[in-house]
Amino acid sequence: MVLVSPAIPAQELNVVGSAVRAGVDHVVKITSKASADSPIARRRGQTGIANGLIASGLGYCPIRTLQECSRRCSAGRAPSTPLPSKSNGRP
């Protein structure tokens, strides 16, 4: 399953719960920078969603937005930054 939506934690966590009940094994989450203590609500919401994915037991892979990748490239850093994933032993 690919999860792309605004950072509305309750909405996305409902989708995650539905995925669990439907037997989905793995979620690819299109996301932006997450930070629990950010003054930006969207970033705080992304943290809650990521925590909900971890708690769900689903395998997941977060993918940062193109804007984040572009910013890193323009700053002279590698375009891809290792992101945490949880595979639960699933491919």
Side-chain angles (χ1 to χ4, degrees), residues 18-78:
S18 294
V20 169
R21 290 187 296 280
V24 170
D25 289 329
H26 195 87
V27 174
V28 175
K29 170 68 173 110
I30 309 300
T31 187
S32 61
K33 186 174 182 179
S35 175
D37 60 350
S38 175
I40 301 169
R42 179 176 181 81
R43 290 184 179 172
R44 291 190 310 270
Q46 293 291 358
T47 300
I49 295 162
N51 290 340
L53 275 165
I54 291 167
S56 75
L58 291 171
Y60 82 98
C61 175
I63 297 179
R64 293 262 173 102
T65 61
L66 180 58
Q67 179 182 23
E68 177 71 12
C69 291
S70 296
R71 186 175 58 84
R72 289 179 181 275
C73 287
S74 66
R77 292 181 282 198

Side-chain angles (χ1 to χ4, degrees), residues 3 8-18 48-53:
L3 182 57
I8 302 172
Q11 176 182 333
E12 290 199 26
L13 294 174
N14 283 337
V15 171
V16 169
S18 294
I49 295 162
N51 290 340
L53 275 165

